[in-house]
Amino acid sequence: MTPTRRWLVIGVVTALVVLLAGWVLVVKPQKSKVSDLNAQTATQVSANNLLLTQISALQSEQKELPQQQLALQKFSTEIPDSTAEPTLVRQLTAAAQHADVELVSIAPGSVAPVSATAAATTSSTLGSAAPAAAGSLDELPVALSVIGSYANVESFFNAIEHLPRAMLVTSFSVCPEVSSGVGTPCQGPAEPANKVAPPGSVGVALSGDVFFTPTTTPTSTSTTETLATPPSTPATTAAGAPDVTGPSTTGAAAGTTS
């Protein structure tokens, strides 16, 4: 082999060694880094897509926020976090005045928790206003009596159905103010001494439940408030809470009329 050919072979072998060393020391590690970077990029893209989905969902919920706030405000009005008896009395008084009937008495009963079964029934009756979770809903029974014409009493029942406070009528009875002497006597609520019911008036004894979601342990309520209505504004009278003689019903659409 000539010297020239020998140096050519040495040069080729040296070049191959340099290329191999460059591949092992430079190209292969960089290729591994590129592969890692590609994997990280795919992971980040997936995370970004998830964030975009969450942002889209949050934006959709943000659009519904005003409706949710209105629903929450309506719920807190229909079913407050306390018995709120003064507010209830004012609402019933306003309903009686609007229907032009005389609100004779209001008698709150004792607070009691609503069972899970009763809460589910109440929720289906009142709609979404009533939570169905056991232990989260308490009820306050209310007995009241009114006197007025049959048409005005019907208007009063309609007003109760549209009270700001959700009220479930459980029973009621309707009796003539003046006994006709026919059939079994029906005893309606007594008029105050200084009042005379117009001819054709009827007396209504009504029982119902209002609900609230207590934030603390509720206490029993046993006070009785009686009201007699002057020409425009009810005032306190000695009349007590009426005995309810009508059959148990749900809603203000059923009762007994004598």
Side-chain angles (χ1 to χ4, degrees), residues 30-44:
Q30 293 300 324
K31 189 175 181 180
S32 177
K33 289 182 179 180
V34 170
S35 179
D36 291 341
L37 289 174
N38 288 335
Q40 294 176 9
T41 300
T43 301
Q44 189 61 49

Side-chain angles (χ1 to χ4, degrees), residues 77-138:
T77 300
E78 292 183 343
I79 302 182
D81 57 5
S82 66
T83 56
E85 291 179 42
T87 302
L88 176 64
V89 170
R90 286 194 295 269
Q91 292 176 359
L92 290 172
T93 300
Q97 291 175 342
H98 181 75
D100 197 21
V101 297
E102 180 183 351
L103 183 59
V104 178
S105 67
I106 302 176
S110 299
V111 171
V114 179
S115 65
T117 302
T121 303
T122 301
S123 179
S124 63
T125 303
L126 296 180
S128 60
S136 64
L137 185 67
D138 281 11

Side-chain angles (χ1 to χ4, degrees), residues 109-195:
S110 299
V111 171
V114 179
S115 65
T117 302
T121 303
T122 301
S123 179
S124 63
T125 303
L126 296 180
S128 60
S136 64
L137 185 67
D138 281 11
E139 63 182 358
L140 173 68
V142 178
L144 56 92
S145 58
V146 298
I147 296 175
S149 69
Y150 192 90
N152 289 347
V153 166
E154 184 179 7
S155 177
F156 178 66
F157 273 98
N158 183 66
I160 287 180
E161 291 182 355
H162 296 87
L163 282 179
R165 178 78 175 269
M167 182 174 182
L168 180 66
V169 175
T170 55
S171 64
F172 67 90
S173 63
V174 181
C175 302
E177 257 308 282
V178 180
S179 177
S180 62
V182 178
T184 304
C186 181
Q187 183 63 44
E191 273 278 18
N194 61 340
K195 294 284 293 183

